[in-house]
Amino acid sequence: MGRYVARRLLQMIPVFIGTTLLIFLMVYALPGDPVRAMWGDKAADPAQLAAIKHQLGLDQPLWKQYGDYIWNLLHFDFGTTMAGRKVTDVIGEAIPVTIRLALLAFLIELVLGVALGVLSGIRRNKLADKLVLVLTLVVISIPVFVLAYVFQTIFADNLHWVTPTVQDSMNMTQLLLPAIVLGSLSLAYVARLTRTTVVENIRADYMRTAVAKGLPKRRIIVRHLLRNSMIPVVTFLGTDLGALMGGAIVTEGIFNVQGVGNALYRAVNQKEGATVVGFVTVLVLVYLVASLIVDLLYAVLDPRIRYA
């Protein structure tokens, strides 16, 4: 296991360099001059433009800029914004909010998605199975922004259970509605994926053996059926955690959540290359760590899997 972890950590290095380099090139290939945009419609002094570009390192060749970025990144320095603010400060304000929102959405899709999938798989072709399939199909068919406005209208405007927008991003209660919206699509996929694997495994030989041995039904479902059915679900959930953090732009915008989505949207509009690359770098690290954890969980869920 130790060798496998070390090998995976080494494999992360070229993946990290490749993804950050690609994002770096894409961001700095965007049209327009972000330094010139600081003056708006006013005329800018060429000397001041040159001085700011030199201060930010934007007058260097692109390979030199990327090399400096990686070197500074090793010292936990993500650079500075056009306004002279540390990118680490911007990330430090937005990341904790999105982490709370993403973890809450992740918990909702994990618990409800797996529960609905197991129920649907065990009661295949019965009323519960058909209801779950129809419900998940409806959720998958509705765009996120439409679902968000529907939930706002029902639970905030009509029932007054929650506020239409988040007033305090530190309040977990106010984050509940946007978390449900954010995790709804993934919840539907988790339910369908769990249902498929449960239906497949419930007819396996080891399940017949467990039933023939007279084991309690609860133990059969938890220890045998669910454990073996969770491997593809864990794969999906591991990659989805990073997607929840990076894909919250629409949800955070609708519910006024001051997290990564809002910060990225503002940074792209203002052509803040250092901020965009900094946020994406953090998300890449989240994806890599989540991928490693998923691979390690395989051995926990299925003893037949060994990384030797």
Side-chain angles (χ1 to χ4, degrees), residues 57-70:
L58 298 178
D59 57 345
Q60 300 291 331
L62 197 56
W63 64 267
K64 181 69 166 54
Q65 294 183 43
Y66 179 73
D68 292 340
Y69 175 75
I70 294 296

Side-chain angles (χ1 to χ4, degrees), residues 15 74 81 85 116 137 165 177 195 243 268 288 307:
V15 174
L74 296 176
T81 65
R85 189 184 180 191
L116 291 175
L137 180 61
T165 57
L177 187 61
R195 187 250 183 203
V268 171
L288 292 176
Y307 298 115

Side-chain angles (χ1 to χ4, degrees), residues 221-248:
I221 294 175
V222 175
R223 292 287 300 274
H224 297 278
L225 179 60
L226 186 58
R227 186 172 180 177
N228 288 278
S229 300
M230 283 297 291
I231 291 179
V233 179
V234 166
T235 304
F236 176 83
L237 290 173
T239 56
D240 190 56
L241 181 59
L244 289 175
M245 293 188 61

Side-chain angles (χ1 to χ4, degrees), residues 4-277:
Y4 174 77
V5 174
R7 187 165 62 248
R8 283 300 310 272
L9 290 175
L10 291 175
Q11 290 174 354
M12 286 183 181
I13 297 176
V15 174
F16 176 78
I17 293 176
T19 51
T20 52
L21 176 60
L22 180 62
I23 296 299
F24 193 89
L25 295 175
M26 292 175 63
V27 168
Y28 285 93
L30 293 174
D33 187 347
V35 179
R36 174 64 185 82
M38 296 172 62
W39 274 264
D41 296 332
K42 299 180 181 178
D45 184 5
Q48 289 181 325
L49 285 174
I52 294 176
K53 287 185 178 181
H54 180 72
Q55 180 182 359
L56 297 175
L58 298 178
D59 57 345
Q60 300 291 331
L62 197 56
W63 64 267
K64 181 69 166 54
Q65 294 183 43
Y66 179 73
D68 292 340
Y69 175 75
I70 294 296
W71 175 254
N72 293 332
L73 194 62
L74 296 176
H75 298 82
F76 301 99
D77 182 6
F78 287 82
T80 57
T81 65
M82 297 299 173
R85 189 184 180 191
K86 287 286 186 180
V87 176
T88 50
D89 295 337
V90 180
I91 295 176
E93 292 178 358
I95 284 289
V97 176
T98 299
I99 287 178
R100 283 191 292 272
L101 178 63
L103 288 180
L104 190 56
F106 183 81
L107 183 62
I108 292 171
E109 72 175 75
L110 172 62
V111 175
L112 293 181
V114 172
L116 291 175
V118 172
L119 175 65
S120 179
I122 293 176
R123 300 183 178 275
R124 184 168 60 99
N125 296 330
K126 294 183 180 180
L127 179 61
D129 182 28
K130 294 178 181 179
L131 287 176
V132 170
L133 292 178
V134 170
L135 178 63
T136 53
L137 180 61
V138 170
V139 172
I140 292 172
S141 304
I142 300 177
V144 174
F145 65 91
V146 174
L147 191 65
Y149 285 122
V150 169
F151 276 32
Q152 274 185 332
T153 303
I154 296 175
F155 297 107
D157 297 336
N158 295 336
L159 298 177
H160 303 289
W161 288 357
V162 294
T163 56
T165 57
V166 175
Q167 308 299 323
D168 181 10
S169 297
M170 305 293 289
N171 191 325
M172 295 294 289
T173 304
Q174 295 188 21
L175 290 177
L176 182 59
L177 187 61
I180 293 174
V181 173
L182 181 62
S184 59
L185 180 61
S186 298
L187 186 153
Y189 284 126
V190 168
R192 283 178 164 257
L193 183 58
T194 304
R195 187 250 183 203
T196 302
T197 55
V198 166
V199 169
E200 179 182 350
N201 287 309
I202 203 170
R203 294 174 293 184
D205 291 338
Y206 68 87
M207 287 295 297
R208 297 192 185 97
T209 303
V211 173
K213 289 169 64 177
L215 296 178
K217 186 175 181 180
R218 180 177 179 181
R219 184 177 180 183
I220 293 174
I221 294 175
V222 175
R223 292 287 300 274
H224 297 278
L225 179 60
L226 186 58
R227 186 172 180 177
N228 288 278
S229 300
M230 283 297 291
I231 291 179
V233 179
V234 166
T235 304
F236 176 83
L237 290 173
T239 56
D240 190 56
L241 181 59
L244 289 175
M245 293 188 61
I249 296 179
V250 175
T251 306
E252 289 187 357
I254 294 175
F255 289 97
N256 191 37
V257 180
Q258 301 303 313
V260 171
N262 267 327
L264 271 175
Y265 180 76
R266 292 194 301 268
V268 171
N269 279 341
Q270 298 170 3
K271 295 183 175 61
E272 290 277 1
T275 305
V276 175
V277 175

